[in-house]
């Protein structure tokens, strides 16, 4: 049986439902020697800001049980250098290119998106309003409903391309934020960004990250992410891209069954940069074994 | 840089709590340079989740060797590997020591397990006419690993072998006595040792390349998790995994602490 792997995220058609998550795959070129990039459902770039950001002081990474904390602080080359140095390669791969935007103000989001709108070869935007590791913007946007509304509304007015709002789980009721994004015309929400976490070195009694707290990712957060996707799926009609600790095809299928139309592989890329390709293959195998002719049919198919 | 499944051909204890593993990997063995590292998946499970980076200690035909001290869960699991087991490794990663530039005497200065890249570096240096002198620092005699090194001088914290004191103090003493002809220092070891070397070379004005270490998630530049601070550079940070691990020691602002 031939399985149709195409999925739709609003007006965006993906070759398969497995993308690589922002901040876990650089700008695509870093992994070209090791990964069959054209087999990815899409690449979500490292977050881009208007100007380059140097990121946070070390230590930025600490491993925890079944996961890791990071405090990178949106280190990136800036949108202009991205357009000049990275976009030509991304365009050449033959997979969907989603550019992730992070900013310290609503105006900065708009300026970055406007610069990208002038370029060919970008298939959509993912808006990071949920980074826990920066002082300005980041979580303070993603946990504020009226700013979430404003950012979505302003960016919607600037582009007809797919607009994906990446939400933070660090709120009381994430479905309120998904609904706000949906009401303002976003095509999809990406769920979830990292959870705020902390680790302490008891020998030195110091926090293990320079910023004290960081963002928890990896398999440890998968059940939390699944619950958030489930909550949102019962609340809004727009597409959901599920993210959170996906290591295997089984993990990805769980996200689809609770309501995700597509998924992103994040932390797993650090361990095996081909994870997303393997996950996509595994989803097809599952569909074949279960006589499902289209992966779209998995979305929301949880029995309960 | 490639990701491959590599067969363990030998596992042995080479000193107190220090282990060596040989991995059959012709793809990496044929291209790796001294100072580069590999990133090893030590477990099929999610404990530990991340790979563990190790300097390539030596290359023999199709095989590469890594050495490590058992420090946490990852290295404990690695020490229990048996010949025939398969490990998922990525490498070779990072930059390498420059052995081609103009110097006549290579001074290899290593602290503890920081000796790791030196046997391979020594093998490469021996292809030239350069002199090689190796300074090793360790807590005590049982932690000194002298195999496959040239003209070894030892310093131990407890005085149980060689000079009683730090390896950098020994190096400083030797420099005050006689001058090495046109030397270059290759350093690898804990942060306090690198900081001492950094201070010493300001006094003696000798070029020094040092290999830095950092916790890292990926090892190939995508996680941005392993920065070191640059001196006088608007970029501010370089990545140990991709821009390093070898840096001109004068270019790095070495942090305090361990």
């Amino acid at each position: 049986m031939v399985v149709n792997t195409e999925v739709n995220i609003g007006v965006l058609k993906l070759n398969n439902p497995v993308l690589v998550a922002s901040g876990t795959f650089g700008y695509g070129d870093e992994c070209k020697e090791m990964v069959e990039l054209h087999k990815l459902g899409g690449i979500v770039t490292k977050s881009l800001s208007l100007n380059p950001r140097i990121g946070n002081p070390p230590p930025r990474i600490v491993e925890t049980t079944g996961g890791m904390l990071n405090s990178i602080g949106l280190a990136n080359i800036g949108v202009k250098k991205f357009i000049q140095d990275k976009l030509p390669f991304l365009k050449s791969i033959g997979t969907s290119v989603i550019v992730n935007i992070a900013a310290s103000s609503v105006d900065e989001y708009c300026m970055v998106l406007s610069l990208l709108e002038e370029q060919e070869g970008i298939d959509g935007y993912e808006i990071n309003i949920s980074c826990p590791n920066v002082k300005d913007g980041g979580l303070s946007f993603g946990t504020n409903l009226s700013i979430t509304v404003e950012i979505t509304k302003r960016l919607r007015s600037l582009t007809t391309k797919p607009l994906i709002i990446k939400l933070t789980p660090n709120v009381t009721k994430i479905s309120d934020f998904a609904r706000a994004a949906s009401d303002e015309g976003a095509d999809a929400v990406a769920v979830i960004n990292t959870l705020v976490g902390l680790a302490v070195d008891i020998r030195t009694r110091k926090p293990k990250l320079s910023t004290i707290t960081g963002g928890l990712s990896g398999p440890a957060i998968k059940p939390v992410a699944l619950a958030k996707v489930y909550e949102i799926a019962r609340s809004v009609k727009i597409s959901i891209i599920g993210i959170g600790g996906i290591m295997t095809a089984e993990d990805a299928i769980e996200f689809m069954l609770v309501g995700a139309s597509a998924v992103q592989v994040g932390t797993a890329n650090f361990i095996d940069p081909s994870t997303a390709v393997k996950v996509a293959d595994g989803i097809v195998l599952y569909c074949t074994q279960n006589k499902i002719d289209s992966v779209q049919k998995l979305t929301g198919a949880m029995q309960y | 840089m490639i990701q491959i499944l590599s067969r363990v051909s030998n596992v042995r204890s080479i000193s107190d709590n220090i282990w060596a593993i040989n991995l059959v990997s012709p793809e990496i063995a044929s291209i790796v340079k001294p100072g580069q590292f590999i990133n090893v998946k030590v477990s099929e499970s999610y404990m530990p989740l991340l790979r563990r980076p190790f300097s390539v200690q030596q290359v023999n035909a199709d095989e590469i060797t890594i050495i490590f001290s058992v420090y946490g869960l990852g290295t404990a699991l690695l020490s229990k590997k048996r010949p025939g087991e398969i490990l998922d490794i990525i490498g070779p990663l990072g930059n390498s020591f420059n052995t081609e530039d103009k110097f006549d005497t290579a001074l290899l200065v290593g602290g503890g397990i920081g000796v790791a890249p030196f046997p391979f570096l020594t093998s490469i240096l021996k292809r030239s006419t350069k002199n090689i002198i190796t300074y090793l620092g360790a807590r005590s005699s049982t932690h000194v690993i002298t195999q496959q090194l040239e003209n070894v001088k030892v310093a131990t914290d407890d005085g149980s072998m060689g000079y009683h004191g730090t390896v950098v103090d020994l190096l400083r003493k030797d420099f005050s006595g006689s001058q090495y002809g046109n030397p270059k220092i290759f350093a690898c070891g804990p942060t306090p040792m690198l900081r001492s070397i950094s201070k010493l070379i300001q006094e003696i004005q000798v070029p020094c390349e040092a290999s830095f270490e950092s916790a890292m998630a990926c090892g190939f530049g995508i996680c941005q998790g392993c920065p070191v601070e640059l001196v006088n550079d608007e970029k501010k940070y370089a990545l140990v995994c991709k821009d390093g691990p070898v840096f001109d020691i004068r270019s790095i602002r070495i942090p305090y602490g361990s």
Side-chain angles (χ1 to χ4, degrees):
Chain A
M1 189 176 67
V2 178
V3 177
N4 180 3
T5 61
E6 284 185 356
V7 297
N8 298 304
I9 302 296
V11 294
L12 174 64
K13 191 182 285 289
L14 301 174
N15 290 332
N16 73 60
V18 189
L19 304 101
V20 286
S22 180
T24 68
F25 214 74
Y27 305 101
D29 54 341
E30 294 90 338
C31 298
K32 64 186 175 193
E33 295 168 55
M34 292 191 285
V35 183
E36 295 176 284
L37 297 172
H38 65 280
K39 290 189 174 176
L40 298 169
I43 294 176
V44 187
T45 68
K46 176 80 186 156
S47 286
L48 289 159
S49 45
L50 187 59
N51 296 310
R53 295 182 72 126
I54 56 171
N56 291 333
R60 291 179 179 178
I61 292 275
V62 58
E63 186 166 349
T64 58
T65 306
M68 58 177 275
L69 289 167
N70 86 78
S71 178
I72 307 303
L74 299 178
N76 80 90
I77 59 175
V79 67
K80 287 164 195 152
K81 198 165 167 59
F82 167 78
I83 289 169
Q84 196 182 319
D85 296 350
K86 302 295 184 180
L87 189 54
F89 175 77
L90 280 167
K91 284 196 293 197
S92 74
I93 295 168
T95 187
S96 296
V97 176
I98 314 289
V99 178
N100 183 295
I101 304 173
S104 305
S105 69
V106 180
D107 286 342
E108 187 187 349
Y109 280 108
C110 293
M111 283 187 270
V112 175
L113 187 135
S114 298
L115 287 169
L116 293 164
E117 276 290 281
E118 296 167 11
Q119 303 301 316
E120 301 274 323
I122 295 170
D123 298 294
Y125 305 104
E126 182 180 84
I127 310 306
N128 180 358
I129 55 167
S130 42
C131 177
N133 300 322
V134 292
K135 286 199 188 83
D136 310 316
L139 260 194
S140 64
F141 290 166
T143 57
N144 182 318
L145 206 50
S146 60
I147 294 179
T148 302
V149 167
E150 189 189 352
I151 291 171
T152 311
K153 183 184 290 189
R154 290 274 302 277
L155 295 176
R156 182 75 286 171
S157 72
L158 294 174
T159 183
T160 56
K161 284 183 183 167
L163 187 63
I164 303 159
I165 309 297
K166 187 169 182 178
L167 301 178
T168 175
N170 301 298
V171 292
T172 308
K173 197 173 175 195
I174 197 169
S175 52
D176 287 348
F177 291 81
R179 196 174 307 108
S182 172
D183 289 349
E184 297 306 326
D187 295 271
V189 286
V191 182
I192 55 176
N193 206 323
T194 54
L195 290 141
V196 174
L198 196 161
V200 185
D201 182 335
I202 62 166
R203 186 177 57 86
T204 60
R205 301 188 190 179
K206 288 179 178 169
K208 289 184 176 177
L209 292 175
S210 69
T211 50
I212 304 175
T213 59
L216 180 65
S217 65
I221 73 167
K222 191 187 73 172
V224 177
L226 283 167
K228 300 300 179 192
V229 170
Y230 173 68
E231 178 189 331
I232 292 169
R234 304 213 305 172
S235 164
V236 301
K237 292 275 190 290
I238 59 172
S239 300
I240 302 167
I241 302 175
I243 321 169
I246 296 174
M247 306 294 287
T248 64
E250 288 78 5
D251 297 333
I253 292 163
E254 282 188 81
F255 274 91
M256 297 187 77
L257 292 175
V258 298
S261 298
V263 296
Q264 293 178 12
V265 171
T267 298
N269 294 320
F270 300 149
I271 301 141
D272 178 358
S274 291
T275 301
V277 174
K278 292 171 183 170
V279 168
D281 288 345
I283 293 172
V284 171
L285 182 64
Y286 173 83
C287 287
T288 306
Q289 288 170 342
N290 291 278
K291 300 189 169 51
I292 300 164
D293 61 5
S294 169
V295 296
Q296 290 193 39
K297 290 183 178 170
L298 295 174
T299 298
M302 181 167 72
Q303 306 281 317
Y304 58 99
Chain B
M1 170 191 0
I2 50 169
Q3 180 180 359
I4 50 160
L5 297 175
S6 175
R7 183 170 55 83
V8 175
S9 63
N10 187 286
V11 185
R12 60 202 178 279
S13 173
I14 58 170
S15 180
D16 186 14
N17 199 38
I18 296 172
W19 297 76
I21 290 187
N22 288 18
L23 295 162
V24 180
S25 173
E27 301 90 343
I28 292 175
S30 61
I31 56 174
V32 66
K33 296 180 182 138
Q36 288 190 298
F37 67 97
I38 61 171
N39 217 354
V40 181
K41 182 92 181 86
V42 299
S43 165
E44 297 281 312
S45 78
Y46 302 154
M47 276 300 284
L49 182 66
L50 301 174
R51 289 172 184 269
R52 294 291 184 265
F54 300 97
S55 289
V56 172
Q57 187 249 9
Q58 188 55 284
V59 177
N60 281 306
D62 284 353
E63 295 191 3
I64 55 176
T65 304
I66 57 173
I67 68 168
F68 55 93
S69 54
V70 173
Y71 182 78
L73 178 63
T75 44
L77 286 170
L78 207 49
S79 71
K80 295 185 176 72
K81 299 291 174 189
R82 290 292 165 261
E85 286 191 62
I86 303 296
L87 291 180
D88 177 341
I89 64 176
I90 295 178
L93 296 168
N95 67 356
S96 57
F97 289 111
N98 182 357
T99 56
E100 311 271 298
D101 50 347
K102 287 195 169 58
F103 62 93
D104 297 321
T105 304
L107 300 170
L108 279 50
V109 184
I113 197 70
V115 67
F118 288 167
F120 183 29
L121 176 62
T122 298
S123 300
I124 300 297
L125 286 167
K126 280 167 75 175
R127 293 178 190 170
S128 69
T129 56
K130 299 179 193 298
N131 303 313
I132 305 167
I133 298 162
T134 309
Y135 285 83
L136 298 184
R139 272 181 289 156
S140 69
S141 60
T142 55
H143 297 91
V144 176
I145 315 156
T146 60
Q147 290 103 316
Q148 305 173 62
L149 300 172
E150 298 281 304
N151 303 316
V152 178
K153 299 187 169 203
V154 174
T156 50
D157 295 344
D158 63 2
S160 56
M161 187 175 176
Y163 179 78
H164 188 175
T166 73
V167 68
V168 182
D169 287 341
L170 174 60
L171 185 63
R172 178 182 275 106
K173 184 171 81 71
D174 283 3
F175 263 98
S176 66
S178 61
Q179 287 293 321
Y180 291 112
N182 196 15
K184 175 177 174 179
I185 294 171
F186 297 86
C188 185
T191 302
M193 186 198 96
L194 295 181
R195 202 167 45 244
S196 298
I197 292 182
S198 181
K199 195 162 167 249
L200 174 65
I201 66 153
Q202 284 172 12
E203 300 162 21
I204 61 177
Q205 295 296 317
V206 171
C208 173
E209 282 184 359
S211 178
F212 286 74
E213 62 177 7
S214 168
M216 54 182 70
C218 71
F220 44 92
I222 57 172
C223 79
Q224 304 275 320
C226 58
V228 281
E229 191 175 347
L230 297 167
V231 176
N232 301 328
D233 190 305
E234 63 175 22
K235 281 190 306 187
K236 179 88 170 169
Y237 296 116
L239 297 179
V240 169
C241 75
K242 197 178 175 189
D243 306 315
V246 178
F247 296 95
D248 180 332
I249 201 166
R250 291 166 301 185
S251 71
I252 304 296
R253 196 180 302 278
I254 301 171
Y256 284 88
S258 58

